Amino acid sequence: HLHGLPARDAATRSRYTAADHLLWLSAYYAFLRPEPKPFELTLCQRPTADSIPPYMTAEVTPAMRADAMNHLGDCLFFGQGGLKEDRSAAVACHRVAAETPVSRGAPVCGGRVWAGYSLGWCLLNGKGTPRNPREAVRFLTPAARYHPEAAYCLGLCYENGDGVDVKDIREAVKYYRKAAAMHHRKAMDRLKELEKQLH
């Protein structure tokens, strides 16, 4: 439940804008200062009427924003955490997380990686957004370095020529190997089959 959002009518609150995301996110993280904990919807509280709204002074880092937006996107996609299922809104949240800028040398942002996979999967399968395999590949590619499902999806894209210029079995094998190294069972099976074809 989005306790940090200002009161609105039910119809308006069922849809989310980018401004809503950041307003709610700032309110949420303000209650976790000075040490932010892992994202938990149940920790979000409503500001009291006689206090300065916490989202006015919240310090929200890009990594926090990516983590929270990714989790919020998951809740909207599956209809969890007291939220009504809304896959188009979920895609919007995952896009915010996946497009979060990352400074050079900064630690890997898990929310950005997971959101990149989720957004790529939705674009690849037309869930909550029109199918767009080429854009899916754009988001899956950076996520594949750390996310086994993203690497597996890219392997399928290159094997089938979906979202890429041409089919490329060797490129498919490269991504299946990445996924297999992260213990992805289906990638291991596809890798065995394709390696037989290459020899």
Side-chain angles (χ1 to χ4, degrees):
H1 48 278
L2 305 183
H3 289 311
L5 287 176
R8 294 181 179 178
D9 60 88
T12 303
R13 284 174 65 86
S14 68
R15 305 296 297 182
Y16 308 107
T17 67
D20 287 335
H21 295 160
L22 299 183
L23 181 66
W24 169 82
L25 176 62
S26 296
Y28 167 72
Y29 272 107
F31 285 104
L32 300 184
R33 295 173 69 187
E35 295 294 332
K37 299 177 183 178
F39 184 93
E40 295 179 31
L41 285 174
T42 55
L43 292 179
C44 196
Q45 305 173 38
R46 184 187 297 278
T48 58
D50 59 350
S51 68
I52 298 175
Y55 52 78
M56 299 295 291
T57 58
E59 297 175 2
V60 182
T61 69
M64 291 176 183
R65 180 177 293 114
D67 286 345
M69 287 299 99
N70 175 61
H71 196 117
L72 180 56
D74 288 346
C75 288
L76 286 164
F77 189 89
F78 295 107
Q80 297 175 341
L83 299 178
K84 183 178 179 181
E85 181 182 305
D86 187 337
R87 293 191 170 181
S88 62
V91 167
C93 288
H94 285 139
R95 188 177 290 275
V96 169
E99 293 181 339
T100 298
V102 177
S103 58
R104 180 172 296 181
V108 174
C109 177
R112 187 173 188 268
V113 170
W114 279 87
Y117 160 68
S118 296
L119 178 59
W121 185 91
C122 287
L123 288 163
L124 197 59
N125 294 280
K127 302 295 184 181
T129 185
R131 189 171 186 274
N132 188 335
R134 190 167 291 277
E135 190 179 20
V137 169
R138 182 168 72 86
F139 284 102
L140 289 169
T141 300
R145 183 176 178 184
Y146 308 100
H147 198 298
E149 285 289 347
Y152 176 68
C153 284
L154 275 177
L156 291 174
C157 287
Y158 280 101
E159 183 179 358
N160 300 315
D162 193 16
V164 296
D165 293 332
V166 294
K167 291 184 180 182
D168 190 332
I169 298 300
R170 293 190 182 279
E171 196 71 5
V173 165
K174 182 182 82 173
Y175 283 107
Y176 286 143
R177 281 178 179 158
K178 282 181 179 290
M182 292 181 274
H183 312 291
H184 194 288
R185 179 59 59 183
K186 289 183 179 179
M188 294 177 187
D189 293 339
R190 290 305 305 145
L191 188 57
K192 290 179 182 178
E193 290 298 319
L194 293 184
E195 285 181 334
K196 289 179 183 177
Q197 296 179 27
L198 293 176
H199 290 297

Short mmCIF file of all heavy atoms in Angstrom, two decimals, residues 42-81:
data_model
loop_
_atom_site.label_atom_id
_atom_site.label_comp_id
_atom_site.label_asym_id
_atom_site.label_seq_id
_atom_site.Cartn_x
_atom_site.Cartn_y
_atom_site.Cartn_z
N THR A 42 5.76 -3.09 4.23
CA THR A 42 5.10 -2.97 5.52
C THR A 42 5.72 -1.89 6.40
O THR A 42 5.11 -1.48 7.38
CB THR A 42 5.13 -4.29 6.28
OG1 THR A 42 6.49 -4.73 6.39
CG2 THR A 42 4.33 -5.35 5.55
N LEU A 43 6.91 -1.42 6.07
CA LEU A 43 7.56 -0.40 6.88
C LEU A 43 7.11 1.02 6.53
O LEU A 43 7.39 1.96 7.25
CB LEU A 43 9.08 -0.49 6.73
CG LEU A 43 9.75 -1.73 7.32
CD1 LEU A 43 11.24 -1.68 7.07
CD2 LEU A 43 9.48 -1.83 8.82
N CYS A 44 6.39 1.15 5.43
CA CYS A 44 5.98 2.47 5.00
C CYS A 44 4.90 3.00 5.93
O CYS A 44 3.98 2.28 6.30
CB CYS A 44 5.43 2.41 3.57
SG CYS A 44 5.31 4.00 2.78
N GLN A 45 5.01 4.27 6.36
CA GLN A 45 4.08 4.87 7.30
C GLN A 45 3.55 6.19 6.76
O GLN A 45 4.17 6.82 5.92
CB GLN A 45 4.76 5.13 8.65
CG GLN A 45 5.41 3.90 9.26
CD GLN A 45 6.21 4.27 10.50
OE1 GLN A 45 5.80 5.11 11.27
NE2 GLN A 45 7.35 3.64 10.67
N ARG A 46 2.39 6.60 7.25
CA ARG A 46 1.79 7.85 6.82
C ARG A 46 2.35 9.02 7.66
O ARG A 46 2.37 8.94 8.89
CB ARG A 46 0.28 7.79 6.99
CG ARG A 46 -0.44 9.03 6.47
CD ARG A 46 -1.92 8.97 6.84
NE ARG A 46 -2.56 7.84 6.21
CZ ARG A 46 -3.01 7.82 4.95
NH1 ARG A 46 -2.85 8.89 4.20
NH2 ARG A 46 -3.60 6.76 4.45
N PRO A 47 2.80 10.11 7.01
CA PRO A 47 3.28 11.27 7.77
C PRO A 47 2.14 11.86 8.61
O PRO A 47 0.99 11.85 8.19
CB PRO A 47 3.71 12.25 6.68
CG PRO A 47 3.89 11.42 5.46
CD PRO A 47 2.91 10.31 5.59
N THR A 48 2.44 12.36 9.79
CA THR A 48 1.41 12.97 10.63
C THR A 48 1.14 14.39 10.12
O THR A 48 2.00 15.03 9.52
CB THR A 48 1.87 13.05 12.09
OG1 THR A 48 3.09 13.81 12.16
CG2 THR A 48 2.11 11.66 12.65
N ALA A 49 -0.08 14.86 10.38
CA ALA A 49 -0.52 16.14 9.84
C ALA A 49 0.31 17.31 10.38
O ALA A 49 0.48 18.33 9.70
CB ALA A 49 -2.00 16.35 10.16
N ASP A 50 0.82 17.17 11.61
CA ASP A 50 1.56 18.29 12.22
C ASP A 50 3.06 18.21 12.00
O ASP A 50 3.83 18.93 12.64
CB ASP A 50 1.26 18.35 13.72
CG ASP A 50 1.65 17.05 14.43
OD1 ASP A 50 1.95 16.07 13.72
OD2 ASP A 50 1.63 17.04 15.67
N SER A 51 3.49 17.33 11.14
CA SER A 51 4.93 17.22 10.86
C SER A 51 5.22 17.58 9.42
O SER A 51 4.34 17.56 8.56
CB SER A 51 5.41 15.79 11.13
OG SER A 51 4.85 14.89 10.18
N ILE A 52 6.46 17.93 9.16
CA ILE A 52 6.87 18.19 7.77
C ILE A 52 6.86 16.86 7.04
O ILE A 52 7.46 15.89 7.50
CB ILE A 52 8.29 18.79 7.73
CG1 ILE A 52 8.30 20.13 8.44
CG2 ILE A 52 8.76 18.95 6.28
CD1 ILE A 52 9.68 20.75 8.55
N PRO A 53 6.18 16.77 5.90
CA PRO A 53 6.15 15.50 5.16
C PRO A 53 7.58 15.01 4.91
O PRO A 53 8.41 15.78 4.41
CB PRO A 53 5.45 15.87 3.85
CG PRO A 53 4.60 17.04 4.21
CD PRO A 53 5.43 17.81 5.22
N PRO A 54 7.90 13.77 5.27
CA PRO A 54 9.27 13.29 5.16
C PRO A 54 9.81 13.30 3.74
O PRO A 54 11.02 13.39 3.54
CB PRO A 54 9.20 11.87 5.72
CG PRO A 54 7.77 11.48 5.59
CD PRO A 54 6.99 12.75 5.80
N TYR A 55 8.92 13.22 2.73
CA TYR A 55 9.44 13.21 1.37
C TYR A 55 10.00 14.58 0.96
O TYR A 55 10.65 14.69 -0.07
CB TYR A 55 8.37 12.75 0.38
CG TYR A 55 7.05 13.47 0.45
CD1 TYR A 55 6.88 14.74 -0.09
CD2 TYR A 55 5.96 12.88 1.06
CE1 TYR A 55 5.68 15.40 -0.03
CE2 TYR A 55 4.73 13.52 1.12
CZ TYR A 55 4.59 14.78 0.58
OH TYR A 55 3.39 15.42 0.64
N MET A 56 9.78 15.61 1.80
CA MET A 56 10.35 16.91 1.50
C MET A 56 11.83 16.97 1.82
O MET A 56 12.56 17.81 1.30
CB MET A 56 9.62 18.01 2.29
CG MET A 56 8.13 18.11 1.98
SD MET A 56 7.79 18.62 0.29
CE MET A 56 8.36 20.32 0.34
N THR A 57 12.29 16.10 2.72
CA THR A 57 13.69 16.14 3.15
C THR A 57 14.42 14.83 2.91
O THR A 57 15.56 14.68 3.31
CB THR A 57 13.78 16.49 4.64
OG1 THR A 57 13.03 15.52 5.39
CG2 THR A 57 13.20 17.87 4.92
N ALA A 58 13.76 13.87 2.29
CA ALA A 58 14.37 12.55 2.11
C ALA A 58 15.60 12.63 1.20
O ALA A 58 15.64 13.41 0.26
CB ALA A 58 13.36 11.58 1.51
N GLU A 59 16.59 11.85 1.53
CA GLU A 59 17.79 11.73 0.71
C GLU A 59 17.74 10.37 0.03
O GLU A 59 17.97 9.34 0.67
CB GLU A 59 19.05 11.88 1.57
CG GLU A 59 19.16 13.25 2.24
CD GLU A 59 20.34 13.33 3.17
OE1 GLU A 59 21.09 12.33 3.26
OE2 GLU A 59 20.52 14.38 3.81
N VAL A 60 17.42 10.35 -1.23
CA VAL A 60 17.23 9.10 -1.96
C VAL A 60 18.35 8.93 -2.99
O VAL A 60 18.51 9.75 -3.88
CB VAL A 60 15.87 9.08 -2.67
CG1 VAL A 60 15.66 7.75 -3.38
CG2 VAL A 60 14.75 9.33 -1.67
N THR A 61 19.14 7.88 -2.85
CA THR A 61 20.23 7.63 -3.79
C THR A 61 19.68 6.89 -5.01
O THR A 61 18.62 6.26 -4.95
CB THR A 61 21.32 6.78 -3.14
OG1 THR A 61 20.81 5.46 -2.92
CG2 THR A 61 21.78 7.38 -1.83
N PRO A 62 20.41 6.94 -6.13
CA PRO A 62 19.97 6.18 -7.31
C PRO A 62 19.79 4.69 -7.02
O PRO A 62 18.85 4.07 -7.52
CB PRO A 62 21.11 6.42 -8.32
CG PRO A 62 21.64 7.76 -7.93
CD PRO A 62 21.58 7.77 -6.42
N ALA A 63 20.69 4.11 -6.22
CA ALA A 63 20.56 2.68 -5.92
C ALA A 63 19.28 2.39 -5.13
O ALA A 63 18.60 1.40 -5.37
CB ALA A 63 21.78 2.19 -5.13
N MET A 64 18.95 3.26 -4.19
CA MET A 64 17.70 3.10 -3.44
C MET A 64 16.51 3.17 -4.39
O MET A 64 15.58 2.37 -4.32
CB MET A 64 17.56 4.21 -2.39
CG MET A 64 18.52 4.14 -1.23
SD MET A 64 18.26 5.59 -0.19
CE MET A 64 19.53 5.34 1.05
N ARG A 65 16.53 4.15 -5.28
CA ARG A 65 15.42 4.33 -6.21
C ARG A 65 15.27 3.09 -7.09
O ARG A 65 14.15 2.61 -7.31
CB ARG A 65 15.66 5.56 -7.08
CG ARG A 65 14.54 5.83 -8.09
CD ARG A 65 14.78 7.09 -8.89
NE ARG A 65 14.70 8.27 -8.04
CZ ARG A 65 15.73 9.07 -7.77
NH1 ARG A 65 16.92 8.82 -8.28
NH2 ARG A 65 15.58 10.11 -6.99
N ALA A 66 16.36 2.56 -7.59
CA ALA A 66 16.29 1.39 -8.46
C ALA A 66 15.76 0.17 -7.71
O ALA A 66 14.92 -0.57 -8.22
CB ALA A 66 17.68 1.09 -9.04
N ASP A 67 16.25 -0.03 -6.47
CA ASP A 67 15.78 -1.17 -5.68
C ASP A 67 14.28 -1.08 -5.42
O ASP A 67 13.54 -2.04 -5.57
CB ASP A 67 16.53 -1.24 -4.34
CG ASP A 67 17.96 -1.74 -4.50
OD1 ASP A 67 18.26 -2.29 -5.57
OD2 ASP A 67 18.74 -1.57 -3.56
N ALA A 68 13.82 0.10 -4.99
CA ALA A 68 12.42 0.27 -4.64
C ALA A 68 11.52 0.21 -5.87
O ALA A 68 10.46 -0.41 -5.85
CB ALA A 68 12.20 1.58 -3.90
N MET A 69 11.93 0.84 -6.96
CA MET A 69 11.12 0.81 -8.17
C MET A 69 11.01 -0.60 -8.72
O MET A 69 9.98 -1.01 -9.24
CB MET A 69 11.71 1.75 -9.23
CG MET A 69 11.52 3.22 -8.94
SD MET A 69 9.77 3.72 -8.86
CE MET A 69 9.53 3.72 -7.08
N ASN A 70 12.09 -1.36 -8.64
CA ASN A 70 12.03 -2.74 -9.10
C ASN A 70 11.05 -3.55 -8.25
O ASN A 70 10.23 -4.31 -8.78
CB ASN A 70 13.42 -3.38 -9.02
CG ASN A 70 13.40 -4.85 -9.39
OD1 ASN A 70 13.02 -5.21 -10.51
ND2 ASN A 70 13.77 -5.71 -8.47
N HIS A 71 11.12 -3.38 -6.94
CA HIS A 71 10.22 -4.12 -6.05
C HIS A 71 8.77 -3.69 -6.26
O HIS A 71 7.87 -4.52 -6.31
CB HIS A 71 10.62 -3.91 -4.60
CG HIS A 71 10.02 -4.90 -3.65
ND1 HIS A 71 10.77 -5.78 -2.92
CD2 HIS A 71 8.73 -5.17 -3.34
CE1 HIS A 71 9.97 -6.54 -2.19
NE2 HIS A 71 8.73 -6.17 -2.42
N LEU A 72 8.55 -2.39 -6.40
CA LEU A 72 7.21 -1.89 -6.65
C LEU A 72 6.68 -2.44 -7.98
O LEU A 72 5.51 -2.83 -8.09
CB LEU A 72 7.21 -0.36 -6.68
CG LEU A 72 5.88 0.34 -6.94
CD1 LEU A 72 4.83 -0.10 -5.92
CD2 LEU A 72 6.06 1.86 -6.89
N GLY A 73 7.54 -2.50 -8.99
CA GLY A 73 7.14 -3.08 -10.28
C GLY A 73 6.73 -4.53 -10.14
O GLY A 73 5.73 -4.96 -10.73
N ASP A 74 7.48 -5.29 -9.34
CA ASP A 74 7.12 -6.70 -9.12
C ASP A 74 5.76 -6.81 -8.44
O ASP A 74 4.94 -7.66 -8.80
CB ASP A 74 8.19 -7.39 -8.26
CG ASP A 74 9.48 -7.63 -9.02
OD1 ASP A 74 9.48 -7.52 -10.26
OD2 ASP A 74 10.50 -7.94 -8.37
N CYS A 75 5.53 -5.97 -7.43
CA CYS A 75 4.25 -6.01 -6.71
C CYS A 75 3.09 -5.68 -7.64
O CYS A 75 2.03 -6.31 -7.58
CB CYS A 75 4.27 -5.04 -5.54
SG CYS A 75 5.33 -5.57 -4.17
N LEU A 76 3.28 -4.70 -8.51
CA LEU A 76 2.23 -4.33 -9.46
C LEU A 76 2.03 -5.42 -10.51
O LEU A 76 0.90 -5.70 -10.92
CB LEU A 76 2.58 -3.00 -10.14
CG LEU A 76 2.43 -1.75 -9.28
CD1 LEU A 76 3.16 -0.57 -9.90
CD2 LEU A 76 0.96 -1.42 -9.08
N PHE A 77 3.10 -6.04 -10.95
CA PHE A 77 2.99 -7.06 -12.00
C PHE A 77 2.21 -8.27 -11.49
O PHE A 77 1.37 -8.83 -12.21
CB PHE A 77 4.39 -7.50 -12.45
CG PHE A 77 4.36 -8.39 -13.67
CD1 PHE A 77 4.41 -7.83 -14.94
CD2 PHE A 77 4.30 -9.77 -13.55
CE1 PHE A 77 4.38 -8.65 -16.07
CE2 PHE A 77 4.28 -10.58 -14.68
CZ PHE A 77 4.31 -10.01 -15.94
N PHE A 78 2.48 -8.68 -10.24
CA PHE A 78 1.84 -9.88 -9.70
C PHE A 78 0.64 -9.58 -8.81
O PHE A 78 -0.01 -10.51 -8.32
CB PHE A 78 2.87 -10.70 -8.90
CG PHE A 78 3.98 -11.24 -9.75
CD1 PHE A 78 5.26 -10.69 -9.67
CD2 PHE A 78 3.76 -12.29 -10.62
CE1 PHE A 78 6.29 -11.19 -10.45
CE2 PHE A 78 4.78 -12.79 -11.42
CZ PHE A 78 6.05 -12.24 -11.33
N GLY A 79 0.35 -8.29 -8.58
CA GLY A 79 -0.76 -7.96 -7.71
C GLY A 79 -0.50 -8.33 -6.27
O GLY A 79 -1.36 -8.88 -5.58
N GLN A 80 0.69 -8.00 -5.78
CA GLN A 80 1.08 -8.34 -4.41
C GLN A 80 1.26 -7.07 -3.57
O GLN A 80 1.21 -5.97 -4.08
CB GLN A 80 2.39 -9.15 -4.42
CG GLN A 80 2.27 -10.49 -5.13
CD GLN A 80 3.60 -11.21 -5.25
OE1 GLN A 80 4.66 -10.61 -5.11
NE2 GLN A 80 3.54 -12.51 -5.50
N GLY A 81 1.49 -7.27 -2.26
CA GLY A 81 1.75 -6.14 -1.38
C GLY A 81 0.58 -5.19 -1.22
O GLY A 81 0.75 -4.01 -0.95
#
